[in-house]
């Protein structure tokens, strides 16, 4: 018997240890740090930066020396014939002799070194590659800000669901005790049946709401996992407390932050767009300039009636040349001029969009500060309301069992308490999320 008990205990302890090892635990900051590495959008944004760095080198390399090799092998199935005047070989004047000028097989191996000397589009391309990299880096920053905001919302939703579940469960326990006591009083003929029915209605509503809260909690956990980039159903545990987290996120100093629009990542992205349009205009203008390049070519050729090019007796004939190539645009029927004018129009549009972005950001910052301040004020108000609702419910509960208050009065006080509890939880969640939204717009996040 003792051995059996010891075995069961060992198995349960091993299972507990395994669950502790497999369950990931997160504070809010740990969740943010994890998501910035493992969230799928964040990972793709990092890959975009890597691709932009490769694109930058790809563009740079087009202006550096290029070496290309070629090997050509030909085998005349039927050799081409040329006609020569017969008198060259002592034949009859006015007649022709068929001759072939090349052996049946030949092999040519060449290597060409080319170097771009001047190309206006190449110079613009170098600038564009740098801007493209900056655009990718800014996109990564924006993605990280969005991921951080999403994690805070998802984390807050889980805490909200957990706190809601605890409160509703406690309310049901209290209400069940009230119902049991009231039922006994009714059975003793000291109260009306309506009192029992009123409490039963309230209890049924709470139990139904509890089922919905449990489903919402599961969905909140799944959303949290997706945001972090882990398996949908992987078990996780959150260690922060909703109320403590709320107090940590009350920062009146943030409301006094200077509205420096240029720090906003949305402004920087809009500025990138303006610069990219300027470069496209430069690119179109560069098409009016000549293009200059140089090359050196060298190779060897071998000939024979049979394929014996690997033989030591094979003779090879070397050749080399140097050349310069200049392409000068002369006339395009107005195509280049139209393209330049179109690029100029696109630049003007980008400038207008940048101005619009500035105005929108000023409005968004002002609105976000207002929302955050209201969330703080609402939290303080809802906390006071909850204290009042708890006292009112407690007084009505005492009055009810003393026979002073009706069951309707008790039910109304209980409903008011439940509403105050939900509003208080929501106000804490709003403080956390509204601060995150303001930090995202201001780009004041320090990772």
């Amino acid at each position: 018997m003792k051995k059996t008990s010891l075995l069961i205990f060992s198995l349960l302890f091993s299972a507990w240890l395994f669950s502790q090892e497999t369950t990931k635990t997160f504070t809010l900051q740990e969740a943010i740090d994890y998501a910035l590495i493992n969230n799928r959008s964040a990972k793709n944004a990092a890959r975009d930066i890597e691709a932009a760095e490769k694109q930058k080198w790809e563009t740079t390399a087009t202006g550096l020396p290029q070496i290309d090799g070629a090997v050509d092998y030909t085998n005349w199935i039927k050799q081409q014939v040329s006609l020569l005047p017969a008198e060259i070989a002592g034949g009859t004047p006015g007649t022709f002799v068929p001759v072939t000028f090349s052996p049946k097989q030949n092999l040519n191996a060449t290597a060409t070194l080319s170097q771009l000397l001047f190309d206006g589009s190449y110079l613009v391309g170098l600038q564009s590659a740098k801007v493209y990299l900056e655009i990718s880096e800014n996109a990564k920053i924006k993605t990280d800000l969005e991921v951080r905001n999403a994690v805070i919302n998802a984390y807050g939703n889980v805490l909200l669901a957990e706190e809601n579940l605890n409160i509703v469960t406690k309310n049901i326990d209290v209400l069940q005790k009230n119902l049991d006591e009231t039922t006994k009083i009714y059975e003793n003929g000291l109260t009306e049946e309506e009192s029992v029915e009123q409490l039963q209605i309230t209890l049924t509503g709470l139990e139904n709401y509890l089922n919905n809260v449990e489903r919402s909690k599961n969905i909140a956990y799944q959303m949290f996992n997706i945001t972090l980039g882990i398996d949908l159903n992987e078990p996780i545990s959150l260690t922060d407390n909703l109320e403590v987290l709320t107090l940590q996120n009350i920062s009146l100093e943030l409301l006094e932050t200077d509205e420096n629009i240029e720090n906003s990542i949305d402004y920087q992205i809009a500025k990138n767009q303006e610069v990219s349009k300027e470069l496209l205009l430069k690119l179109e203008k560069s098409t009016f300039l000549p293009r200059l390049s140089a090359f050196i070519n060298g190779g060897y050729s071998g000939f024979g009636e049979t394929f014996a090019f690997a033989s030591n007796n094979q003779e090879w004939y070397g050749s080399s040349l140097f050349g310069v190539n200049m392409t000068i645009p002369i006339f395009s029927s107005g195509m280049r001029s139209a393209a330049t004018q179109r690029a100029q129009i696109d630049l003007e549009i980008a400038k207008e969009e940048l101005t619009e972005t500035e105005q929108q950001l000023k409005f968004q910052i002002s609105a976000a500060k207002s929302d955050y301040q209201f969330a703080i004020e609402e939290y303080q108000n809802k906390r006071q309301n909850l204290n009042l609702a708890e006292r009112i419910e407690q007084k009505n509960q005492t009055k009810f069992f003393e026979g002073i208050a009706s069951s309707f009065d008790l039910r109304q006080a209980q409903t008011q308490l439940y509403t105050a509890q939900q509003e208080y939880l929501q106000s804490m969640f709003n403080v956390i999320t509204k601060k995150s939204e303001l930090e995202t717009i201001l780009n004041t996040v320090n990772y």
Side-chain angles (χ1 to χ4, degrees):
M1 183 67 181
K2 290 183 177 179
K3 291 183 178 179
T4 304
S5 301
L6 182 61
L7 178 60
I8 294 173
F9 175 77
S10 299
L11 290 174
L12 291 174
F13 184 72
S14 299
W16 180 81
L17 285 177
F18 179 75
S19 66
Q20 295 299 308
E21 292 175 357
T22 56
T23 300
K24 289 185 172 67
T25 59
F26 296 99
T27 64
L28 177 57
Q29 188 57 52
E30 288 171 347
I32 292 171
D33 294 339
Y34 186 92
L36 291 177
I37 298 174
N38 296 281
N39 178 274
R40 293 171 181 84
S41 296
K43 289 195 289 187
N44 285 338
R47 292 187 180 107
D48 287 339
I49 292 179
E50 294 178 10
E53 290 173 344
K54 300 302 181 185
Q55 178 67 49
K56 183 179 178 181
W57 175 248
E58 181 182 342
T59 302
T60 302
T62 59
L64 301 179
Q66 309 288 320
I67 299 177
D68 297 305
V71 177
D72 297 319
Y73 167 73
T74 56
N75 187 333
W76 290 94
I77 298 175
K78 184 174 180 59
Q79 290 177 281
Q80 184 177 7
V81 174
S82 298
L83 298 179
L84 294 178
E87 58 263 32
I88 295 178
T92 303
T95 62
F96 296 91
V97 178
V99 295
T100 56
F101 286 99
S102 174
K104 186 175 182 181
Q105 301 188 42
N106 61 76
L107 182 69
N108 297 313
T110 60
T112 302
L113 169 64
S114 58
Q115 173 62 58
L116 181 66
L117 299 180
F118 176 79
D119 187 350
S121 62
Y122 172 70
L123 299 177
V124 177
L126 290 178
Q127 295 175 303
S128 299
K130 181 180 179 181
V131 172
Y132 178 60
L133 179 58
E134 290 177 357
I135 291 174
S136 300
E137 290 171 344
N138 284 335
K140 177 65 167 67
I141 293 173
K142 183 173 178 61
T143 299
D144 286 349
L145 288 171
E146 291 174 345
V147 167
R148 176 184 180 273
N149 190 49
V151 170
I152 291 173
N153 276 270
Y155 198 101
N157 269 318
V158 172
L159 295 183
L160 183 64
E162 290 283 9
E163 289 291 335
N164 201 9
L165 184 63
N166 292 335
I167 288 176
V168 175
T169 302
K170 290 178 182 178
N171 289 340
I172 289 176
D173 291 341
V174 172
L175 193 58
Q176 184 65 57
K177 291 178 181 178
N178 291 343
L179 179 59
D180 293 341
E181 292 178 13
T182 305
T183 301
K184 291 178 181 179
I185 296 173
Y186 166 70
E187 290 173 349
N188 292 327
L190 299 177
T191 188
E192 298 179 359
E193 185 180 8
E194 181 184 348
S195 299
V196 177
E197 292 172 342
Q198 288 282 5
L199 291 174
Q200 186 63 57
I201 291 172
T202 306
L203 180 60
T204 302
L206 273 181
E207 288 173 340
N208 184 59
Y209 182 64
L210 177 63
N211 294 332
N212 182 60
V213 170
E214 288 177 339
R215 290 192 295 269
S216 299
K217 186 191 75 169
N218 293 333
I219 294 173
Y221 271 105
Q222 290 180 337
M223 189 65 221
F224 179 78
N225 285 8
I226 290 175
T227 306
L228 262 66
I230 60 181
D231 185 76
L232 185 68
N233 297 310
E234 184 171 343
I236 58 101
S237 175
L238 308 188
T239 59
D240 280 338
N241 176 273
L242 182 60
E243 189 164 6
V244 173
L245 203 58
T246 301
L247 295 174
Q248 292 174 350
N249 279 272
I250 295 178
S251 174
L252 299 179
E253 293 82 4
L254 187 61
L255 295 172
E256 305 300 325
T257 304
D258 293 335
E259 298 179 2
N260 191 347
I261 304 300
E262 294 182 359
N263 286 340
S264 171
I265 192 61
D266 289 323
Y267 174 85
Q268 295 173 19
I269 290 174
K271 188 66 178 178
N272 286 149
Q273 292 298 323
E274 181 188 40
V275 173
S276 66
K277 296 302 182 183
E278 289 176 349
L279 291 173
L280 287 175
L281 177 59
K282 286 184 179 180
L283 179 63
E284 296 300 340
K285 289 180 177 180
S286 70
T287 59
F288 290 89
L289 301 175
R291 184 180 189 275
L292 182 64
S293 60
F295 65 91
I296 298 176
N297 178 281
Y300 286 89
S301 300
F303 306 92
E305 292 299 323
T306 60
F307 191 92
F309 299 109
S311 172
N312 293 332
N313 297 326
Q314 175 67 46
E315 292 188 14
W316 294 93
Y317 303 92
S319 62
S320 62
L321 59 89
F322 167 77
V324 177
N325 177 271
M326 177 180 285
T327 303
I328 303 174
I330 298 175
F331 181 68
S332 65
S333 297
M335 180 181 65
R336 285 189 293 270
S337 177
T340 302
Q341 293 173 21
R342 174 181 51 78
Q344 180 65 52
I345 294 172
D346 290 341
L347 176 58
E348 295 301 323
I349 293 174
K351 288 181 178 180
E352 291 293 338
E353 290 177 345
L354 179 61
T355 303
E356 178 68 16
T357 299
E358 291 178 356
Q359 298 300 313
Q360 288 289 342
L361 284 172
K362 289 179 181 179
F363 169 75
Q364 290 173 11
I365 291 173
S366 178
K369 283 186 175 182
S370 176
D371 290 344
Y372 179 50
Q373 186 168 8
F374 177 74
I376 296 174
E377 296 167 349
E378 189 76 352
Y379 162 70
Q380 295 168 344
N381 175 261
K382 296 304 179 184
R383 183 172 58 181
Q384 294 175 356
N385 288 350
L386 177 60
N387 293 332
L388 292 174
E390 287 174 344
R391 290 202 297 269
I392 292 172
E393 192 274 342
Q394 190 61 45
K395 289 178 181 178
N396 275 272
Q397 189 174 156
T398 302
K399 290 179 179 180
F400 172 74
F401 285 106
E402 291 178 352
I404 301 174
S406 67
S407 58
F408 179 80
D409 294 331
L410 176 59
R411 184 169 186 269
Q412 190 175 30
Q414 289 172 335
T415 303
Q416 182 176 263
L417 173 61
Y418 303 153
T419 301
Q421 289 170 338
Q422 298 305 313
E423 290 177 348
Y424 178 61
L425 291 178
Q426 186 64 44
S427 70
M428 290 192 288
F429 176 77
N430 289 343
V431 168
I432 297 169
T433 56
K434 293 303 179 182
K435 182 191 178 188
S436 175
E437 290 174 9
L438 178 56
E439 289 174 332
T440 300
I441 296 174
L442 292 173
N443 193 15
T444 57
V445 179
N446 294 319
Y447 295 110

